[in-house]
Amino acid sequence: NQGLYCLTRSELQPHPSYGVGGPLATEVTALAIDGQGALWTGSPLGLGVRDADGTWRAIRGRDGLPVEAITAIEVDSQDRLWIGTNHGLIHYRPYESGRQWFYREGLRYLPDNVIHDVAISSDEKTIYTATDKGLGRLYIRTTTLLERATTIETLLNQRHRRLGLVGSAVLLDPADPDSWDIADNDNDGLWTAYHVVAQSLAYAVTGDPEAKASAMKGMHALYMLQNASGTPGLVARSVLPLEEAIARGKDKDPQWRLTPDGQSYWKSDTSSDEIDGHYFAFYAYWEHIAKDDPAERERCIQQVRTLSDYIVDNDYVLLDWDGKRTRWGFWTPELLNNQPLHYLENGLNSLQMLSFLKTTYHITGNEKYQQHYMKLITEHHYLANVLLEKKSHPDSNNHSDNQLAYVAWYPILQIEQDPAIRDTLRKAVRRHYKVIDRDRSSFFYFITATVDPDYVDLESAALNLKRIPTDRRQWRQLNSHRADLLFDPRIDRFGKQQLLTVLPADERLFARWNGNVYLPDGGGDGNSAEAGADFLMPYWMGRYHGFIAEAELTKAPEPVVE
C-alpha cells in the first residue's frame, strides 16, 4: 500500500512514477510476471503493465477490463491471466485474437463476489478463489454442443415434464437440485412447442428413436391442450389435474374452467403466443415424424384442421368459452387493418395468420385453407402488412414480438414456393433481421438463414449457442456496475436501463428468446431452472439446415462452478 519497489542486488528502490510511466496507483494489490516478460500490477484503479522493454501501459474499463478494483492476479502457462476483483473473477487472454475477456460473477460461478486470492491447479483445469464465503472452485472442461444438447435433453425429461408438457422447474434447493415442483404456465403450449420442434429436427438429423418418442410425447401434450376445453378448436393455455388444481387454488379463479369429464381444470383466455407455438409444432412434427407414421398422420391432420376451422369460421378470432374473443387471439382484417389501436400488431398478426393457413394447407392438402390464404393476401393486403411486420421504435424494441414473429416465420418460409410471395416474405424477414442483427440470437439468425444464408451472421449465431450455459438454473447475474460497458441513453419499453451492446450469454441472464438481451442484470436465487428447449431448438435447427456441421462442434470450453 506504499507503492511498487524494485529490489536489485544492492538496494531496494521505490518506483519513481505512478499513473503514467508506472502502476496506476501507489496502492499495489497484486503482482505477476508472464512468460513474455511483462509485469502485471493490480490496483484499485485497474491494471498496469510493464512490458519486457520497460514501457508502461494502463488497462482500464475503456480498454475492456470489466472491474477495475483488482485484488489478485495469477498467470497460467499460456500467459492467460486470472484476475480477482472486489466484484467477481476476470479471465484475460492478452496475447490471443478473438474473445479476450471473460467475466465470472455471481453464484453461477463463485461463492461470493469479493475475491481475496486466486490459485491455479497444476493441470490448469481448476481455478480456486478465496472469498468471504469460502473457497470457490471453477472447473474448466471441454465439451461439444452435441454433448451439451444430450445433457439438457436428459435433464429436461427427468425434471421438466408435467403431463407431457415442458416447463420450468422450481428447485426446492438450488444447491442440491434433486427435488422440484413444476407449476402451470400461461405459455405451456409455446414452451412445449419449442421442444417438439427441437426433437422433430433431431429425429430428422439422427434418426434416433428416442428423439421421435420425445417429440411425440410433447406433441400429444399439445393435443391435450387443444382438446381440454371440450370446444373443438378452443385451445387451453394450461391444464392441471383436479386435485392439483384445487390445491393450487385454481378452482377459485374464473379463468380456470372444469373440463367436461370433471377430471381437470383448463386455463382460458389463450393468447396468440400459444396458437403461434402450436402451429410451429404442427409443421415440424408433421414434416419429420407424422406424415410418415399412419396413426400420427391422421391425428395431426385432424388436430390442425379442427384448430384452423375454429379460427377461420369465427372470422379469424379465437373465441373463448364465454363467446367473447380472448384478449390477444385476433387475426381478423377488421381489427388489423381498420383499427389504429392495433397498428403495432397488424404486421405480426398478419404474418401469423398466413403462416397458420399455409401450414394447415401443407398438412391437410385441403384447398379451403389456400383459398383463405390468398383471400387475405389479395383482398386484405396481409402480405403487404407483412412487409412492415417488424415495427420498432428506437426506445421500444419488443423482444417478445421478435420471438412470436420468428415462430411464425419458420413454417411459412419453408413451405411457400410461389416466387412472388416468397420474394416478398424474403424481403420482410431480411428487414426484421436488420433490426436485430446486433442481438446474436441463434434462433432468429438460423431461421432467416433458411432463405438467405449469405445475409446472416452465422458465426455469431453459432457462438451464441456455445456460450449458453448448460446449467439452466437462473442465477442472479449483475453487470450494471461494470467499467467496460456503455449504456443506452434510452430505457427499454418497460422502463429498464439497457446496454448498447449484447453481452455474451455466459455473462448475463439467458432464459428464453423473448427477453431483452440488452439488460445488464437479471436472474434470481437459482431456484428457477429453465427446461433448456430454448437451446435445443436452435441447435437442432442449425444442424438440420446445415449451419452447424458436426465436425465443427468439438471444442466449446465452459466454466462450471462446483
Side-chain angles (χ1 to χ4, degrees):
N1 63 7
Q2 297 298 313
L4 180 66
Y5 285 78
C6 178
L7 178 63
T8 68
R9 290 183 177 180
S10 58
E11 59 185 338
L12 187 65
Q13 291 287 342
H15 197 273
S17 59
Y18 295 86
V20 177
L24 282 172
T26 55
E27 184 179 352
V28 178
T29 56
L31 288 174
I33 297 177
D34 67 25
Q36 310 291 322
L39 173 67
W40 296 84
T41 64
S43 77
L45 301 179
L47 288 171
V49 190
R50 182 185 184 275
D51 290 321
D53 62 4
T55 59
W56 283 87
R57 54 192 171 90
I59 299 177
R60 305 194 67 187
R62 61 177 175 265
D63 306 301
L65 182 66
V67 177
E68 294 180 332
I70 308 301
T71 59
I73 302 173
E74 287 291 329
V75 182
D76 67 20
S77 62
Q78 300 181 71
D79 292 324
R80 296 172 171 178
L81 276 64
W82 292 91
I83 304 167
T85 75
N86 69 351
H87 198 127
L89 180 69
I90 299 167
H91 181 46
Y92 180 36
R93 302 176 178 182
Y95 303 110
E96 300 176 33
S97 58
R99 184 179 177 187
Q100 292 184 305
W101 297 96
F102 300 76
Y103 181 54
R104 300 293 178 248
E105 181 272 349
L107 289 175
R108 179 180 293 282
Y109 299 112
L110 303 166
D112 187 67
N113 284 325
V114 178
I115 296 175
H116 300 288
D117 204 359
V118 177
I120 304 173
S121 67
S122 57
D123 62 5
E124 300 192 340
K125 291 184 178 180
T126 307
I127 310 300
Y128 295 96
T129 53
T131 78
D132 285 339
K133 294 184 179 178
L135 189 67
R137 186 174 71 168
L138 196 69
Y139 177 69
I140 300 178
R141 68 167 182 248
T142 301
T143 186
T144 68
L145 293 183
L146 179 58
E147 289 168 347
R148 181 176 296 174
T150 302
T151 298
I152 289 174
E153 174 68 10
T154 299
L155 285 174
L156 183 149
N157 285 301
Q158 285 177 353
R159 68 184 186 202
H160 293 279
R161 291 278 198 182
R162 184 185 65 80
L163 303 177
L165 300 167
V166 173
S168 302
V170 178
L171 305 175
L172 302 185
D173 180 0
D176 185 22
D178 289 331
S179 55
W180 56 86
D181 178 47
I182 306 175
D184 60 277
N185 184 278
D186 278 1
N187 286 326
D188 270 340
L190 179 58
W191 309 138
T192 303
Y194 267 19
H195 189 249
V196 171
V197 172
Q199 293 308 298
S200 297
L201 292 167
Y203 180 65
V205 172
T206 66
D208 183 356
E210 290 188 5
K212 179 180 179 180
S214 188
M216 189 178 295
K217 186 173 185 178
M219 196 69 208
H220 288 189
L222 292 182
Y223 294 159
M224 175 195 64
L225 293 180
Q226 293 165 16
N227 300 331
S229 70
T231 301
L234 175 54
V235 179
R237 277 188 178 270
S238 188
V239 170
L240 285 171
L242 183 66
E243 292 184 3
E244 183 179 352
I246 293 173
R248 294 181 184 272
K250 306 299 185 181
D251 57 324
K252 305 295 192 301
D253 185 341
Q255 197 173 344
W256 284 83
R257 316 296 302 174
L258 196 63
T259 57
D261 62 7
Q263 298 301 306
S264 304
Y265 274 83
W266 66 278
K267 192 171 187 180
S268 59
D269 196 27
T270 300
S271 72
S272 60
D273 308 39
E274 290 293 286
I275 304 303
D276 209 16
H278 282 261
Y279 281 95
F280 188 41
F282 272 135
Y283 168 73
Y285 188 72
W286 168 264
E287 196 67 18
H288 304 299
I289 295 176
K291 72 179 182 181
D292 297 319
D293 183 316
E296 292 301 308
R297 178 186 180 90
E298 293 307 312
R299 180 78 183 274
C300 190
I301 290 172
Q302 175 190 349
Q303 294 289 152
V304 73
R305 184 174 59 223
T306 299
L307 176 53
S308 294
D309 284 349
Y310 189 69
I311 295 172
V312 168
D313 293 347
N314 288 298
D315 193 24
Y316 308 106
V317 300
L318 186 67
L319 293 184
D320 215 341
W321 61 273
D322 57 1
K324 301 176 182 178
R325 74 166 173 85
T326 66
R327 181 181 181 186
W328 297 109
F330 60 89
W331 305 271
T332 182
E334 178 186 354
L335 293 178
L336 298 186
N337 290 338
N338 302 328
Q339 294 290 336
L341 178 64
H342 296 302
Y343 170 73
L344 289 177
E345 289 93 28
N346 81 331
L348 174 59
N349 287 28
S350 294
L351 169 65
Q352 288 179 346
M353 195 68 246
L354 292 179
S355 185
F356 300 167
L357 289 168
K358 199 67 179 180
T359 298
T360 309
Y361 174 58
H362 178 70
I363 293 173
T364 66
N366 191 326
E367 288 291 334
K368 165 187 172 180
Y369 305 107
Q370 177 68 6
Q371 291 167 4
H372 277 279
Y373 177 81
M374 293 306 301
K375 180 179 179 180
L376 291 177
I377 290 174
T378 58
E379 297 183 21
H380 298 291
H381 321 295
Y382 272 36
L383 195 59
N385 290 347
V386 170
L387 278 171
L388 293 177
E389 169 267 317
K390 179 58 182 174
K391 296 178 176 66
S392 176
H393 303 291
D395 56 349
S396 186
N397 186 4
N398 189 322
H399 300 275
S400 181
D401 281 357
N402 291 335
Q403 171 192 243
L404 295 182
Y406 273 93
V407 166
W409 274 123
Y410 185 66
I412 196 171
L413 290 175
Q414 314 316 307
I415 298 169
E416 182 57 79
Q417 298 302 317
D418 179 275
I421 297 176
R422 187 170 177 81
D423 183 61
T424 302
L425 295 174
R426 178 173 174 270
K427 290 175 180 176
V429 77
R430 281 171 64 116
R431 180 181 177 275
H432 194 144
Y433 174 77
K434 288 304 294 181
V435 177
I436 59 171
D437 65 354
R438 299 180 302 115
D439 292 11
R440 306 172 186 170
S441 298
S442 308
F443 175 29
F444 308 150
Y445 282 28
F446 285 157
I447 289 179
T448 306
T450 63
V451 293
D452 215 341
D454 295 335
Y455 195 68
V456 176
D457 183 1
L458 289 172
E459 182 178 357
S460 289
L463 284 174
N464 183 213
L465 282 181
K466 288 184 177 183
R467 292 167 179 172
I468 294 172
T470 305
D471 177 9
R472 303 305 300 123
R473 285 173 291 180
Q474 300 295 282
W475 296 108
R476 182 75 170 160
Q477 293 192 255
L478 303 175
N479 291 286
S480 55
H481 60 281
R482 288 172 57 165
D484 62 328
L485 302 181
L486 295 176
F487 287 84
D488 194 324
R490 299 164 298 201
I491 57 176
D492 77 353
R493 68 191 183 101
F494 295 114
K496 294 184 177 180
Q497 188 181 41
Q498 56 185 345
L499 303 173
L500 282 173
T501 56
V502 176
L503 288 168
D506 53 6
E507 295 185 5
R508 59 177 168 86
L509 174 70
F510 176 82
R512 301 186 179 106
W513 300 104
N514 61 334
N516 183 354
V517 294
Y518 295 90
L519 294 179
D521 304 329
D525 57 8
N527 287 94
S528 175
E530 293 296 339
D534 40 76
F535 172 88
L536 296 172
M537 183 259 296
Y539 167 71
W540 286 112
M541 189 175 288
R543 288 288 305 279
Y544 175 76
H545 290 283
F547 305 138
I548 303 172
E550 190 169 356
E552 297 171 359
L553 305 178
T554 53
K555 301 294 178 184
E558 176 187 309
V560 178
V561 68
E562 297 186 17

